[in-house]
Amino acid sequence: MSAKDCGNHGGYWGERKFWRRLCGCILFLIIIVGLAVLLVWLILRPTKPTFSLQSFSVLNLTVSNSDQSYNYTVVTATLQLTLYARNPNSHVGVYYDRLHTFASYSNQQITASTTLPAPYLPSGDSVIWAPYISTPTGGVFLAPSLGNSLAQDQAAGILLLHVEVTGRLRWKVGTWVSGGYHLDVSCPAYLSSDSNGGGFHFREIAGCTVDI
């Protein structure tokens, strides 16, 4: 083997050693950055945002008699509510995405979904929404048993509805923003009517369950 061949052979292994070291350095930096992000995440440990239902008004609620031929009950409703949300974290911001709200009765949606503005909440910040929600044109069709139950509660003057909020959220720590998480919020609305039949009124501020 000539001296020239030996020189080329050494250059090949030297170049290979260089690339191996470069890849090792890049991998080391990726691991360090990942560990730093994980450490910050574990130290800050973001907690769920808090929601509460501040007010709830039943502007209209009509439950028709069951249509025996088609076997359903028609419900029409117009509701107005005030919903409060707060970011309780000290060093973590919250992005909300694609928020919608609607009302349900016995786990059955009874209004159309209404879009809510989706803000960014810095640490400790809060937001208030006050939307109107209503049934689509023509009302909502319920099974007769569920429609009869709703009509009986309405006649008794005691009604339990739920305000639901669905969407997604992302956490923000410094300049880092997490991926999206599904958000489900459920707020009970305890309602009672006046003795003179003057309509349903919200009884108390209700806390909400938040699932992420």
Side-chain angles (χ1 to χ4, degrees), residues 83-186:
L83 191 64
Y84 171 86
R86 180 176 179 272
N87 175 14
N89 295 282
S90 299
H91 303 285
V92 181
V94 177
Y95 283 103
Y96 290 105
D97 302 309
R98 302 192 298 275
L99 293 181
H100 297 86
T101 185
F102 58 89
S104 65
Y105 173 77
S106 294
N107 297 318
Q108 176 67 50
Q109 184 172 341
I110 62 170
T111 70
S113 295
T114 298
T115 301
L116 297 176
Y120 167 70
L121 293 186
S123 57
D125 206 355
S126 60
V127 63
I128 293 178
W129 297 284
Y132 287 85
I133 55 178
S134 61
T135 51
T137 302
V140 170
F141 303 116
L142 300 180
S145 58
L146 191 59
N148 290 336
S149 176
L150 178 57
Q152 291 171 5
D153 290 348
Q154 185 182 25
I158 299 177
L159 189 60
L160 172 60
L161 301 179
H162 280 80
V163 173
E164 315 284 352
V165 178
T166 62
R168 298 183 69 82
L169 66 76
R170 293 170 292 151
W171 307 108
K172 183 176 184 294
V173 181
T175 58
W176 176 77
V177 179
S178 74
Y181 292 84
H182 192 73
L183 173 70
D184 281 304
V185 180
S186 182

Side-chain angles (χ1 to χ4, degrees), residues 55-70:
S55 68
F56 191 95
S57 300
V58 179
L59 306 180
N60 170 60
L61 177 61
T62 303
V63 183
S64 74
N65 294 326
S66 299
D67 187 319
Q68 298 300 325
S69 60
Y70 292 98

